[in-house]
Amino acid sequence: MTALPTRKLEAWRYADLKAVEALWPPPPARLISVPAGASDAQLLRVDAGGIHDVRVELAPGARLQLVVVITSASYARVQIEAHLRAGADLDLGGVLLGSGDTTIELVTDVRHLEPEATSRQRVRLVLDEQATGNYLGRIAVARDAQLTDAAQSARALVLKRTATANLKPELEIFADDVKCAHGCTVGELDKAALFYLQSRGVPPAEAESLLAQAFVADALDGIADMALREQLDAETRGWLERRT
Amino acid sequence: MLEIVNLHATVGDREILKGLTLSVKAGEVAAIMGPNGAGKSTLAHVLAGREGYTVTQGSVLFDGQDLLALEPHERAAAGLFLGFQYPVEIPGVSNLLFLRTAMNAQRKLRGEAEISGADFMKRVREEAAVLGLDLEMLKRGVNVGFSGGEKKRNEAFQLGMLMPKFALLDETDSGLDIDALRIVSEGINRFRGPTRAVLLITHYQRLLDHVRPDVVHVLRGGRIIETGGPELALRLEAEGYEGLAA
Ligand SMILES: Nc1ncnc2c1ncn2[C@@H]1O[C@H](COP(=O)(O)OP(=O)(O)OP(=O)(O)O)[C@@H](O)[C@H]1O
Ligand SMILES: [Mg+2]
């Protein structure tokens, strides 16, 4: 990937191309490779602008839990290409928090190359002001990757109507015995819940942040490391409380 | 404590409250009864400051303060509590986190110190035990998976925890079984006191058998059309609203 991408490329449709140009060429992909039967957990924390390429290689029976948290105030993109061999398992949690007029995006390409691999993606976006948040999630199941189980759930919470969410799932399935569940929704804060909280004394900004926190919690639920979980909860809370 | 004078309010472009005047004194327990669609819940929402309810005329004084000038959370900190006719479910926010956040936000606005974790849990255990609410349930999302009666018990629990000055209870008795009605009524009776007041919105005499009101008001067509003692509720139970002038 050396030529500057254009809008015509599906994976760059919603990117901030001006910002991309300034960041081009991106640094080489970071490789996360988990050997056969092994388990790993990785956190990718993006709080500054940049293009992050990640290549995931899961050998047979390998397991990876990957958490991506993007809170950058300028254009940030994480693109992940994952190759899953027989019986491998990928658990991906994504939290994207955008404010100002920034564009942040998570682009995933999960390739089930061999039978019986499983993948789950839970992505939550919270978008304020004029921010744009994108999730483009492609799942490809190869011809002999029977008994694949791939789940994908992406939900965006738009705090102001001036913010934008683009959620694009894409399934490419060549095997026939496959379970693929996906769901994408964009919504606003529940007015009735906000009023309930406020009527008990919670100020509006704090009420919004409580609800938004509950909203992103799903994406972090898979994290087994309690200290890390608490740290990420605190970071999201901090971000939500800093907004005005 | 609460002085409502000539209150007019619209929802959308429809006028629902049409010159409502009502006063509730400290120490008083008042009941509001009235047919479906009379505007009882609208009054409750207007007093609590819900978005979408516009006051077009009239005034509301709460403890001498202009209630309508306050934001909903400021009204709570000033001591107003609304028990919802339909309590809201909030997945992902536990009952306890919600309540502690609310309690501390109110205290902060009043310039008081936060409640300590230990004191908070002590109060939670006491109140939950009285209302027969399971502690495990309270760790779940606000009202999530609660039955109709459990939601109402949770409203009574929050009332007991927050101990406001003024409790405005919108059909807190509806949906309760006989035992729960007795428990919630006891909660309201314990809440009663010379510096507090209660306004009960209800359709049923059975609540008023447990919580004896000092005054009964009839709300119909967006106004209070009659005020009397506890015997007025009995008369309504026997004769319905039809006999009253609209
Ligand atoms: N959001 C709304 N939009 C339009 N009309 C509304 C809205 N909310 C309430 N109303 C109308 O206002 C009127 C009063 O409703 P309200 O809920 O205050 O009645 P209520 O006295 O509490 O009745 P109930 O005893 O059935 O609870 C009803 O005719 C209702 O249809
Ligand atoms: Mg009602």
Side-chain angles (χ1 to χ4, degrees):
Chain A
M1 198 207 307
T2 44
L4 201 62
T6 69
R7 261 282 165 254
K8 291 205 187 75
L9 291 168
E10 189 57 34
W12 295 87
R13 261 174 87 163
Y14 304 105
D16 175 352
L17 290 179
K18 256 208 157 54
V20 170
E21 200 176 330
L23 293 164
W24 207 258
R30 159 175 168 189
L31 178 69
I32 301 174
S33 170
V34 185
S39 297
D40 194 5
Q42 297 262 346
L43 168 69
L44 182 57
R45 181 78 186 77
V46 178
D47 53 11
I51 299 173
H52 301 262
D53 244 313
V54 180
R55 176 68 177 270
V56 173
E57 288 288 349
L58 300 185
R63 307 171 69 87
L64 174 68
Q65 178 173 65
L66 180 59
V67 177
V68 177
V69 179
I70 308 179
T71 56
S72 171
S74 57
Y75 176 73
R77 172 184 175 97
V78 172
Q79 47 188 36
I80 299 169
E81 182 178 319
H83 292 184
L84 280 62
R85 302 286 164 184
D89 178 69
L90 172 67
D91 184 288
L92 175 70
V95 175
L96 281 72
L97 309 175
S99 59
D101 59 358
T102 184
T103 296
I104 51 181
E105 48 186 0
L106 174 62
V107 181
T108 64
D109 184 356
V110 174
R111 302 187 185 181
H112 287 254
L113 302 173
E114 292 178 1
E116 291 181 47
T118 49
S119 66
R120 281 173 311 285
Q121 302 181 57
R122 289 176 312 277
V123 180
R124 300 291 178 264
L125 304 89
V126 180
L127 301 163
D128 199 12
E129 298 169 332
Q130 282 89 43
T132 300
N134 307 324
Y135 167 71
L136 291 86
R138 178 171 178 271
I139 296 173
V141 181
R143 201 170 307 280
D144 11 296
Q146 302 299 352
L147 299 173
T148 285
D149 188 347
Q152 184 186 40
S153 139
R155 292 171 59 197
L157 177 63
V158 171
L159 296 176
K160 297 217 173 54
R161 297 224 165 129
T162 45
T164 310
N166 299 298
L167 309 179
K168 300 283 165 198
E170 189 192 337
L171 300 177
E172 215 177 276
I173 303 172
F174 292 105
D176 42 29
D177 192 2
V178 162
K179 224 161 79 186
C180 277
H182 70 104
C184 289
T185 56
V186 180
E188 294 180 51
L189 284 173
D190 179 355
K191 284 262 175 15
L194 271 178
F195 178 65
Y196 193 68
L197 291 167
Q198 287 172 47
S199 78
R200 294 288 180 261
V202 183
E206 211 174 322
E208 284 189 5
S209 115
L210 261 183
L211 294 181
Q213 228 176 293
F215 175 84
V216 301
D218 282 12
L220 302 174
D221 274 349
I223 298 173
D225 178 344
M226 282 319 288
L228 174 61
R229 171 69 205 253
E230 268 163 36
Q231 183 205 327
L232 291 176
D233 278 341
E235 280 185 39
T236 37
R237 193 160 51 237
W239 184 89
L240 290 164
E241 279 164 9
R242 265 195 308 282
R243 330 171 292 113
T244 40
Chain B
M1 181 177 283
L2 183 72
E3 290 286 343
I4 307 175
V5 179
N6 189 32
L7 189 64
H8 290 255
T10 56
V11 181
D13 46 16
R14 222 177 114 198
E15 182 169 66
I16 310 289
L17 300 183
K18 303 171 181 170
L20 185 143
T21 296
L22 171 72
S23 92
V24 183
K25 293 197 252 322
E28 197 171 84
V29 172
I32 291 188
M33 304 184 81
N36 295 131
K40 302 181 299 297
S41 294
T42 301
L43 172 65
H45 285 136
V46 167
L47 293 177
R50 184 164 202 159
E51 212 184 332
Y53 293 75
T54 316
V55 173
T56 51
Q57 227 189 104
S59 64
V60 181
L61 286 183
F62 181 60
D63 253 353
Q65 268 193 98
D66 178 4
L67 186 73
L68 302 177
L70 303 178
E71 297 285 314
H73 69 283
E74 296 169 333
R75 299 181 194 198
L80 177 74
F81 176 94
L82 169 61
F84 283 61
Q85 181 173 4
Y86 304 108
V88 180
E89 295 187 13
I90 312 180
V93 178
S94 81
N95 286 284
L96 294 183
L97 173 66
F98 157 58
L99 196 52
R100 199 168 161 198
T101 306
M103 224 171 185
N104 283 330
Q106 287 196 19
R107 287 176 172 230
K108 190 172 168 194
L109 216 56
R110 291 194 296 253
E112 299 166 10
E114 289 202 346
I115 188 167
S116 75
D119 288 347
F120 176 76
M121 282 315 295
K122 184 165 167 275
R123 294 283 328 279
V124 165
R125 278 195 203 93
E126 288 165 5
E127 285 297 323
V130 171
L131 286 161
L133 277 171
D134 182 17
L135 216 55
E136 283 310 307
M137 241 170 97
L138 293 173
K139 290 178 185 162
R140 300 208 304 252
V142 175
N143 290 318
V144 176
F146 286 33
S147 72
E150 286 166 347
K151 286 180 184 165
K152 294 304 177 70
R153 258 194 267 190
N154 193 13
E155 295 292 285
F157 168 70
Q158 293 171 38
L159 174 68
M161 287 293 293
L162 294 167
M163 281 310 223
K165 283 188 210 158
F166 189 95
L168 172 57
L169 304 177
D170 192 357
E171 298 200 23
T172 301
D173 56 326
S174 299
L176 294 177
D177 63 38
I178 296 161
D179 292 331
L181 178 68
R182 187 178 41 75
I183 292 167
V184 166
S185 302
E186 281 165 10
I188 300 171
N189 284 328
R190 261 184 303 127
F191 176 78
R192 282 177 107 142
T195 58
R196 300 205 183 90
V198 181
L199 187 56
L200 299 168
I201 296 174
T202 184
H203 286 296
Y204 304 109
Q205 175 60 38
R206 51 170 213 168
L207 172 68
L208 306 180
D209 289 338
H210 292 280
V211 184
R212 198 177 156 75
D214 301 301
V215 220
V216 175
H217 303 279
V218 180
L219 200 170
R220 189 175 185 184
R223 284 183 307 174
I224 301 294
I225 57 159
E226 192 156 341
T227 295
E231 73 289 345
L232 176 56
L234 291 167
R235 205 182 94 211
L236 292 170
E237 182 101 332
E239 297 169 16
Y241 298 105
E242 288 313 312
L244 298 171

